[in-house]
Amino acid sequence: MYQDVILDHYKHPHGRGLREGQAEVHHVNPTCGDEITLRVRMDGEVVGDVSYEGQGCSISQASASVLNDLLVGKELAEARKIQETFLELMQSRGQIEPDDAMEEVLEDAVAFAGVSKYPARVKCALLSWMAWKDATAQALSGTTPEETA
Amino acid sequence: MYQDVILDHYKHPHGRGLREGQAEVHHVNPTCGDEITLRVRMDGEVVGDVSYEGQGCSISQASASVLNDLLVGKELAEARKIQETFLELMQSRGQIEPDDAMEEVLEDAVAFAGVSKYPARVKCALLSWMAWKDATAQALSGTTPEETA
Amino acid sequence: MTLPPPTRRPLPGLLDTEAIRKDFPALDRVVHDGKKLVYLDNAATSQKPRQVLDVLNAYYERSNANVHRGVHVLAEEATALYEGARDKVAAFVNAPSRDEVIFTKNASESLNLVANMLGWADEPYRVDRDTEIVITEMEHHSNIVPWQLLSQRTGATLKWFGLTDDGRLDLSDIEQVITEKTKIVSFVLVSNILGTVNPVEAIVRRAQDVGALVLVDASQAAPHMALDVQALGADFVAFTGHKMVGPTGIGVLWGRQELLEDLPPFLGGGEMIETVSMHSSTYAPAPHKFEAGTPPIAQAIGLGAAVDYLTAIGMDKIAAHEHALTEYALERLRDVPSLRIIGPDTAQDRGSAISFTLGDIHPHDVGQVLDEQGIAVRVGHHCARPVCLRYGIPATTRASFYLYSTPAEVDALVDGLEQVRNFFG
Amino acid sequence: MTLPPPTRRPLPGLLDTEAIRKDFPALDRVVHDGKKLVYLDNAATSQKPRQVLDVLNAYYERSNANVHRGVHVLAEEATALYEGARDKVAAFVNAPSRDEVIFTKNASESLNLVANMLGWADEPYRVDRDTEIVITEMEHHSNIVPWQLLSQRTGATLKWFGLTDDGRLDLSDIEQVITEKTKIVSFVLVSNILGTVNPVEAIVRRAQDVGALVLVDASQAAPHMALDVQALGADFVAFTGHKMVGPTGIGVLWGRQELLEDLPPFLGGGEMIETVSMHSSTYAPAPHKFEAGTPPIAQAIGLGAAVDYLTAIGMDKIAAHEHALTEYALERLRDVPSLRIIGPDTAQDRGSAISFTLGDIHPHDVGQVLDEQGIAVRVGHHCARPVCLRYGIPATTRASFYLYSTPAEVDALVDGLEQVRNFFG
Ligand SMILES: Cc1ncc(COP(=O)(O)O)c(C=O)c1O
Ligand SMILES: Cc1ncc(COP(=O)(O)O)c(C=O)c1O
């Protein structure tokens, strides 16, 4: 499951660090202690920035880096579609073999297909994506940044 | 396990019915609902009478009849020895093959040797004997008749 | 010695027991120097098919590991098998969600779990001194004692439905028994001593009217008929694995999701937590919240295999088989002199456990003489002593059937009873 | 790829693992396309020998019946086997009486049982708002959460011993922690995360001085060393079958007879009663008083076979084997760059579970890469999160040994860790 793409993102994460944003969330995976703090800045309908800090395993760290790559700069609708596709892939228990269409949407993130075979690790891969979804909802509803678990 | 001796005593119990005595006890086997009310009359050091009433299985009924046969008229010390020998036989889990010496002490009661192989039935065979022991202790200590469970 | 059975009509709806019996090694057992075992003690526990034993062995020989949180192959296999068993059980009882299926060690733990949850619950579920608990006089001790304990500990009043002379629930005073003060009504779907199938709908309707929760003890139902928790309309349903061709050491509590979310945990420990510090802990969502410690992993997986086995045969077919057999048995037993059925004497709304007395021959003696002929029945109060008190008997003899039971075994029982009568006559 | 192991001295006191491993089918398992399984997750659960599986199968295939009160052959055999298992377990822990051995479903139930008994007990045992409960910071969640629940429910104060930097109990303030208000002190004999063996005597002495009861969680001790409940001097001892080559679904609580007589029951139901009426019930004497419902019959019998298996090898020999292996493993792990042992770093007063961190490589990644090489370890907080908090780490990787573990498996682990470091280096 440790594709080179994943190891690369783990060792050289993209967009790591906390920058300005309209919403911040803190998510924890209680079964393994993985944590992420994630901020979202929306520029109108476009995902302006996703910045993050956290600790955890290679999968959760690499997944946040890939998320940053994929979502920043995208229209919200498209970003959501990517998030949903990623969720679908991760919940497939190794049953989905990504096709060209999926690869076009997920790019580097198709490397996580193998992770979906390991139920214990799926949550690691999804941690940042769930945090992004949550933070985006807050940013749009104008809720002030707050902690959630 | 149903020796003819046992069936005979069951069908034609000896000494059944409640007569005068110095102590009365009521014993119950809660797992099967067998009950006995038993009275003891001591004539000095001699077991004057053991009278009883009860309901229960053939084993518990026959055992009370055999007890009446064996103990009435005996010196207390000898009656106690018979009771202890019977107890030993019943707790033997079928390991004791009664020899002549034992047969001399237990007479008809050796017919219960087979019952000792059936743990669920041992309590039935012992019900009246435990009641007798209890009632005798009360008769000797001069306790007035009372109910015990 | 053996009487010829009366000209036996072919019974409608029987299963192919010849094939089925091959799956159950214990049914080949020979006892007392050559007597073939006639196992009529199925209400106490059922025998286990090869298919269930194979699954247990495969688990222990290949995939044995502790479940959840493991990142190695065995732990992942064990987790998938254990959670897969939950899916199977959920489907078996038509649960709306797999997360509503809690694995316990037996039905008794399931019933105690609910009683304890309600004792510690917040309003509106909390059982306390101003509230009432309702059970029935035909409950198994496992559905009596937990409520007596709860009532002693909280001060709540314990009430119950009595029984009619023919072994049915007396619901004539239902409005007085189940009232606005009632918090929980707990009753047996099929009685293990009388065989009675109880009218769920009437009770559930009244309970819902007053806002009481309903717990159904389906220990004698789940093995024998299609069980649909949604159709029952209850809030909780309890049953036990060993009576339904599964292993010992495994029980089930099904509960409605909102309730499982709202109610407090029972046992505390590993697996049931979300996060623990010395100062406080938070709990995992149901079902894990109610599964403290290493669960009965192999046993849950074995129960999954049992459910597969029963489903492959078909619960409706099993019910039809037992119904035909019960009808036949009642008919034949009716002709045994001085035999008195304790419970409904027709097969209508009736399970396949048949209790009876035989003159004044004590059930212990009946059971023992039957045993000497290889016939295994249960004697005693069957963990339902109030029923014996109600009918003024010290105990009963009970014969109970299952999917592998045959008309020939009914005949053997009837012949055996004849021997008992000769013996003690 | 594989480094040559350093010139390995023959270790003193090792068992004949070649012979022993033949008894355990799961140890032959091959994973990930041809990797031989190296099972180092024994603190989570042990593998099962053929001898235990054979006993389980023989029970289900021949003697399966519900226990107690049956008058037929199978019921009598099942009862004799079940109660025979109690004799075996009593002898295994040197219990003064077989009636002090209670079968539960796992150690977690055993621990919860004591907590609940004390909550419902009369004086002098009763835990209430003016009293204190003492545990330690190295407890398994199963020995933390029950006491948190009891403290919430009764208002009693929960206190605990902290840990020293080298993974031992800090008993320096024992007089302040265990006081006249203390009703119960519950602590682990061997920690499942740190490996620490705790000084029982000092704690028991202080508890006895103030009249507090002592519960020892021996879940990680019973499988690995001779356990003598009389020598321990505790009032209750809990352990679990699946970690000691027994089946899942079975645990044990040993308790002193006078206490078991005085304390109230926990779960109510069949088997635990003496006589039941709708109005009130009386309870059977211990151990049955605490065994409601159909017990885990096959599992108790399987645990009896496990105890036979361990006894035949010899608990002292098993302890010596693991001690030698632990010494070797600590020595080899010490040489792995950036590896930090969490817990005592010598084999003295230490069990064979070794937790560690590897630089800042997350334990999940360590475990996963080891798994790809066929090496099964556990990663996470091992149901002892307060220990992780105490040492400021999110989780650990834990390797744990048993009677069938070999020095070659230690070498495989060390080699595997080298791979992990290369991979994430
Ligand atoms: C020290 C300790 N206590 C208690 C337990 C709980 O045992 P079980 O999960 O079998 O209830 C465990 C094992 O998980 C343990 O290691
Ligand atoms: C109706 C009923 N309820 C509850 C139980 C208890 O089941 P278990 O002994 O498996 O806990 C039984 C069986 O003994 C039963 O027949």
Side-chain angles (χ1 to χ4, degrees), chain C residues 43-44 106-109 111 140 142-143 188 190-192 217 219-220 240 242-243 383 398, chain D residues 66 292-295:
Chain C
N106 54 26
S108 301
E109 185 189 351
L111 297 164
H140 188 280
S142 292
N143 200 24
V188 73
V190 181
S191 160
N192 69 307
D217 175 2
S219 302
Q220 297 288 348
T240 198
H242 65 92
K243 295 189 203 281
C383 292
R398 180 186 69 190
Chain D
N66 214 324
T294 303

mmCIF file of all heavy atoms in Angstrom, chain C residues 43-44 106-109 111 140 142-143 188 190-192 217 219-220 240 242-243 383 398, chain D residues 66 292-295, ligand 2:
data_model
loop_
_atom_site.group_PDB
_atom_site.id
_atom_site.type_symbol
_atom_site.label_atom_id
_atom_site.label_comp_id
_atom_site.label_asym_id
_atom_site.label_seq_id
_atom_site.Cartn_x
_atom_site.Cartn_y
_atom_site.Cartn_z
ATOM 1 N N ALA C 43 -35.029 -27.322 23.855
ATOM 2 C CA ALA C 43 -35.320 -26.022 24.469
ATOM 3 C C ALA C 43 -34.218 -25.645 25.457
ATOM 4 O O ALA C 43 -34.010 -24.472 25.748
ATOM 5 C CB ALA C 43 -36.679 -26.055 25.171
ATOM 6 N N ALA C 44 -33.492 -26.627 25.972
ATOM 7 C CA ALA C 44 -32.354 -26.333 26.856
ATOM 8 C C ALA C 44 -31.156 -25.899 26.032
ATOM 9 O O ALA C 44 -30.544 -24.860 26.291
ATOM 10 C CB ALA C 44 -32.001 -27.548 27.710
ATOM 11 N N ASN C 106 -24.847 -14.380 26.469
ATOM 12 C CA ASN C 106 -26.049 -15.221 26.402
ATOM 13 C C ASN C 106 -27.277 -14.307 26.525
ATOM 14 O O ASN C 106 -27.127 -13.094 26.723
ATOM 15 C CB ASN C 106 -26.046 -16.311 27.502
ATOM 16 C CG ASN C 106 -25.852 -15.735 28.905
ATOM 17 O OD1 ASN C 106 -26.179 -14.567 29.157
ATOM 18 N ND2 ASN C 106 -25.319 -16.541 29.811
ATOM 19 N N ALA C 107 -28.450 -14.898 26.409
ATOM 20 C CA ALA C 107 -29.661 -14.080 26.496
ATOM 21 C C ALA C 107 -29.777 -13.438 27.874
ATOM 22 O O ALA C 107 -30.266 -12.306 28.009
ATOM 23 C CB ALA C 107 -30.901 -14.937 26.213
ATOM 24 N N SER C 108 -29.329 -14.153 28.892
ATOM 25 C CA SER C 108 -29.432 -13.596 30.243
ATOM 26 C C SER C 108 -28.659 -12.279 30.343
ATOM 27 O O SER C 108 -29.139 -11.313 30.933
ATOM 28 C CB SER C 108 -28.883 -14.600 31.262
ATOM 29 O OG SER C 108 -29.603 -15.807 31.172
ATOM 30 N N GLU C 109 -27.452 -12.241 29.779
ATOM 31 C CA GLU C 109 -26.708 -10.976 29.822
ATOM 32 C C GLU C 109 -27.456 -9.901 29.040
ATOM 33 O O GLU C 109 -27.530 -8.750 29.471
ATOM 34 C CB GLU C 109 -25.286 -11.129 29.258
ATOM 35 C CG GLU C 109 -24.501 -9.822 29.439
ATOM 36 C CD GLU C 109 -23.149 -9.766 28.731
ATOM 37 O OE1 GLU C 109 -22.678 -10.778 28.213
ATOM 38 O OE2 GLU C 109 -22.567 -8.661 28.702
ATOM 39 N N LEU C 111 -30.645 -9.520 28.660
ATOM 40 C CA LEU C 111 -31.775 -9.037 29.466
ATOM 41 C C LEU C 111 -31.262 -8.179 30.629
ATOM 42 O O LEU C 111 -31.808 -7.094 30.905
ATOM 43 C CB LEU C 111 -32.590 -10.233 29.985
ATOM 44 C CG LEU C 111 -33.247 -11.105 28.886
ATOM 45 C CD1 LEU C 111 -33.691 -12.455 29.436
ATOM 46 C CD2 LEU C 111 -34.431 -10.376 28.241
ATOM 47 N N HIS C 140 -38.980 -16.865 31.941
ATOM 48 C CA HIS C 140 -37.781 -17.584 32.377
ATOM 49 C C HIS C 140 -37.146 -16.776 33.518
ATOM 50 O O HIS C 140 -37.235 -15.550 33.543
ATOM 51 C CB HIS C 140 -36.825 -17.651 31.178
ATOM 52 C CG HIS C 140 -35.626 -18.522 31.373
ATOM 53 N ND1 HIS C 140 -34.513 -18.116 32.065
ATOM 54 C CD2 HIS C 140 -35.353 -19.783 30.944
ATOM 55 C CE1 HIS C 140 -33.603 -19.087 32.049
ATOM 56 N NE2 HIS C 140 -34.090 -20.110 31.379
ATOM 57 N N SER C 142 -34.397 -15.803 33.924
ATOM 58 C CA SER C 142 -33.505 -14.763 33.402
ATOM 59 C C SER C 142 -34.249 -13.494 33.000
ATOM 60 O O SER C 142 -33.632 -12.457 32.755
ATOM 61 C CB SER C 142 -32.726 -15.296 32.194
ATOM 62 O OG SER C 142 -31.813 -16.290 32.618
ATOM 63 N N ASN C 143 -35.565 -13.579 32.895
ATOM 64 C CA ASN C 143 -36.358 -12.373 32.648
ATOM 65 C C ASN C 143 -37.225 -12.025 33.867
ATOM 66 O O ASN C 143 -38.169 -11.240 33.765
ATOM 67 C CB ASN C 143 -37.217 -12.538 31.383
ATOM 68 C CG ASN C 143 -37.667 -11.192 30.808
ATOM 69 O OD1 ASN C 143 -37.024 -10.162 31.033
ATOM 70 N ND2 ASN C 143 -38.765 -11.196 30.086
ATOM 71 N N VAL C 188 -41.791 -12.770 27.224
ATOM 72 C CA VAL C 188 -41.247 -13.826 26.394
ATOM 73 C C VAL C 188 -42.128 -14.014 25.155
ATOM 74 O O VAL C 188 -43.352 -13.989 25.242
ATOM 75 C CB VAL C 188 -41.136 -15.120 27.237
ATOM 76 C CG1 VAL C 188 -42.503 -15.740 27.489
ATOM 77 C CG2 VAL C 188 -40.207 -16.130 26.610
ATOM 78 N N VAL C 190 -41.931 -16.779 23.042
ATOM 79 C CA VAL C 190 -42.364 -18.177 23.109
ATOM 80 C C VAL C 190 -41.880 -18.727 24.449
ATOM 81 O O VAL C 190 -40.684 -18.685 24.733
ATOM 82 C CB VAL C 190 -41.758 -19.009 21.962
ATOM 83 C CG1 VAL C 190 -42.259 -20.456 22.040
ATOM 84 C CG2 VAL C 190 -42.098 -18.403 20.605
ATOM 85 N N SER C 191 -42.801 -19.249 25.235
ATOM 86 C CA SER C 191 -42.430 -19.745 26.566
ATOM 87 C C SER C 191 -41.626 -21.038 26.472
ATOM 88 O O SER C 191 -41.993 -21.947 25.731
ATOM 89 C CB SER C 191 -43.687 -19.993 27.399
ATOM 90 O OG SER C 191 -43.401 -20.883 28.460
ATOM 91 N N ASN C 192 -40.566 -21.114 27.259
ATOM 92 C CA ASN C 192 -39.731 -22.320 27.218
ATOM 93 C C ASN C 192 -40.351 -23.468 28.005
ATOM 94 O O ASN C 192 -39.951 -24.605 27.843
ATOM 95 C CB ASN C 192 -38.331 -22.034 27.772
ATOM 96 C CG ASN C 192 -38.350 -21.765 29.257
ATOM 97 O OD1 ASN C 192 -39.100 -20.918 29.729
ATOM 98 N ND2 ASN C 192 -37.534 -22.476 30.011
ATOM 99 N N ASP C 217 -38.159 -11.214 24.903
ATOM 100 C CA ASP C 217 -37.235 -12.326 25.081
ATOM 101 C C ASP C 217 -37.544 -13.371 24.020
ATOM 102 O O ASP C 217 -38.505 -14.127 24.138
ATOM 103 C CB ASP C 217 -37.393 -12.914 26.487
ATOM 104 C CG ASP C 217 -36.539 -14.163 26.686
ATOM 105 O OD1 ASP C 217 -35.801 -14.548 25.753
ATOM 106 O OD2 ASP C 217 -36.612 -14.745 27.786
ATOM 107 N N SER C 219 -35.605 -15.870 23.048
ATOM 108 C CA SER C 219 -34.669 -16.999 23.151
ATOM 109 C C SER C 219 -35.230 -18.284 22.558
ATOM 110 O O SER C 219 -34.498 -19.092 21.999
ATOM 111 C CB SER C 219 -34.314 -17.260 24.615
ATOM 112 O OG SER C 219 -33.756 -16.115 25.202
ATOM 113 N N GLN C 220 -36.545 -18.486 22.706
ATOM 114 C CA GLN C 220 -37.170 -19.710 22.187
ATOM 115 C C GLN C 220 -37.863 -19.455 20.861
ATOM 116 O O GLN C 220 -38.535 -20.347 20.330
ATOM 117 C CB GLN C 220 -38.175 -20.271 23.203
ATOM 118 C CG GLN C 220 -37.566 -20.711 24.514
ATOM 119 C CD GLN C 220 -36.756 -22.000 24.414
ATOM 120 O OE1 GLN C 220 -36.812 -22.711 23.411
ATOM 121 N NE2 GLN C 220 -35.983 -22.281 25.459
ATOM 122 N N THR C 240 -30.275 -16.063 22.216
ATOM 123 C CA THR C 240 -29.059 -16.736 22.668
ATOM 124 C C THR C 240 -28.597 -17.737 21.619
ATOM 125 O O THR C 240 -29.427 -18.411 20.990
ATOM 126 C CB THR C 240 -29.363 -17.395 24.047
ATOM 127 O OG1 THR C 240 -28.160 -17.691 24.722
ATOM 128 C CG2 THR C 240 -30.237 -18.631 23.937
ATOM 129 N N HIS C 242 -26.692 -20.610 21.650
ATOM 130 C CA HIS C 242 -26.569 -22.061 21.807
ATOM 131 C C HIS C 242 -27.871 -22.796 21.536
ATOM 132 O O HIS C 242 -27.863 -24.003 21.339
ATOM 133 C CB HIS C 242 -26.051 -22.411 23.209
ATOM 134 C CG HIS C 242 -26.979 -22.043 24.323
ATOM 135 N ND1 HIS C 242 -27.906 -22.918 24.816
ATOM 136 C CD2 HIS C 242 -27.141 -20.889 25.021
ATOM 137 C CE1 HIS C 242 -28.589 -22.310 25.788
ATOM 138 N NE2 HIS C 242 -28.148 -21.085 25.935
ATOM 139 N N LYS C 243 -28.996 -22.103 21.559
ATOM 140 C CA LYS C 243 -30.277 -22.761 21.268
ATOM 141 C C LYS C 243 -30.582 -22.783 19.777
ATOM 142 O O LYS C 243 -31.591 -23.361 19.365
ATOM 143 C CB LYS C 243 -31.417 -22.050 22.009
ATOM 144 C CG LYS C 243 -31.329 -22.148 23.529
ATOM 145 C CD LYS C 243 -32.588 -21.619 24.193
ATOM 146 C CE LYS C 243 -32.356 -21.173 25.616
ATOM 147 N NZ LYS C 243 -32.304 -22.260 26.582
ATOM 148 N N CYS C 383 -36.355 -23.402 34.890
ATOM 149 C CA CYS C 383 -36.075 -21.987 35.144
ATOM 150 C C CYS C 383 -37.340 -21.144 34.997
ATOM 151 O O CYS C 383 -37.289 -20.013 34.515
ATOM 152 C CB CYS C 383 -34.986 -21.446 34.217
ATOM 153 S SG CYS C 383 -33.379 -22.155 34.571
ATOM 154 N N ARG C 398 -40.287 -32.215 30.188
ATOM 155 C CA ARG C 398 -40.455 -31.435 28.968
ATOM 156 C C ARG C 398 -39.721 -32.096 27.808
ATOM 157 O O ARG C 398 -38.534 -32.392 27.899
ATOM 158 C CB ARG C 398 -39.886 -30.020 29.163
ATOM 159 C CG ARG C 398 -40.032 -29.135 27.935
ATOM 160 C CD ARG C 398 -39.322 -27.798 28.128
ATOM 161 N NE ARG C 398 -37.870 -27.959 28.150
ATOM 162 C CZ ARG C 398 -37.023 -26.993 28.484
ATOM 163 N NH1 ARG C 398 -37.470 -25.797 28.844
ATOM 164 N NH2 ARG C 398 -35.720 -27.222 28.476
ATOM 165 N N ASN D 66 -27.076 -28.683 27.943
ATOM 166 C CA ASN D 66 -27.024 -27.636 28.949
ATOM 167 C C ASN D 66 -26.647 -28.262 30.289
ATOM 168 O O ASN D 66 -26.951 -29.419 30.539
ATOM 169 C CB ASN D 66 -28.357 -26.880 29.027
ATOM 170 C CG ASN D 66 -28.121 -25.413 29.364
ATOM 171 O OD1 ASN D 66 -27.210 -25.088 30.130
ATOM 172 N ND2 ASN D 66 -28.915 -24.530 28.794
ATOM 173 N N ALA D 292 -25.065 -16.202 35.936
ATOM 174 C CA ALA D 292 -26.445 -16.164 35.461
ATOM 175 C C ALA D 292 -26.543 -16.676 34.038
ATOM 176 O O ALA D 292 -25.729 -16.323 33.194
ATOM 177 C CB ALA D 292 -26.980 -14.737 35.531
ATOM 178 N N GLY D 293 -27.551 -17.489 33.801
ATOM 179 C CA GLY D 293 -27.791 -17.953 32.443
ATOM 180 C C GLY D 293 -26.909 -19.134 32.085
ATOM 181 O O GLY D 293 -26.067 -19.581 32.871
ATOM 182 N N THR D 294 -27.133 -19.649 30.871
ATOM 183 C CA THR D 294 -26.293 -20.739 30.390
ATOM 184 C C THR D 294 -24.863 -20.248 30.308
ATOM 185 O O THR D 294 -24.580 -19.282 29.610
ATOM 186 C CB THR D 294 -26.774 -21.181 28.990
ATOM 187 O OG1 THR D 294 -28.147 -21.545 29.086
ATOM 188 C CG2 THR D 294 -25.958 -22.362 28.493
ATOM 189 N N PRO D 295 -23.946 -20.872 31.044
ATOM 190 C CA PRO D 295 -22.576 -20.368 31.038
ATOM 191 C C PRO D 295 -21.880 -20.670 29.718
ATOM 192 O O PRO D 295 -22.410 -21.422 28.891
ATOM 193 C CB PRO D 295 -21.923 -21.114 32.201
ATOM 194 C CG PRO D 295 -22.765 -22.315 32.436
ATOM 195 C CD PRO D 295 -24.144 -22.004 31.942
HETATM 196 C C1 LIG E 2 -37.296 -18.120 27.319
HETATM 197 C C2 LIG E 2 -35.859 -18.080 27.733
HETATM 198 N N1 LIG E 2 -35.321 -16.912 28.097
HETATM 199 C C3 LIG E 2 -34.031 -16.810 28.467
HETATM 200 C C4 LIG E 2 -33.220 -17.902 28.478
HETATM 201 C C5 LIG E 2 -31.812 -17.725 28.924
HETATM 202 O O1 LIG E 2 -30.899 -18.023 27.917
HETATM 203 P P1 LIG E 2 -29.390 -18.214 28.348
HETATM 204 O O2 LIG E 2 -29.377 -19.294 29.391
HETATM 205 O O3 LIG E 2 -28.681 -18.631 27.125
HETATM 206 O O4 LIG E 2 -28.929 -16.920 28.906
HETATM 207 C C6 LIG E 2 -33.740 -19.153 28.090
HETATM 208 C C7 LIG E 2 -32.934 -20.391 28.074
HETATM 209 O O5 LIG E 2 -32.390 -20.885 29.017
HETATM 210 C C8 LIG E 2 -35.095 -19.232 27.724
HETATM 211 O O6 LIG E 2 -35.635 -20.407 27.368
#
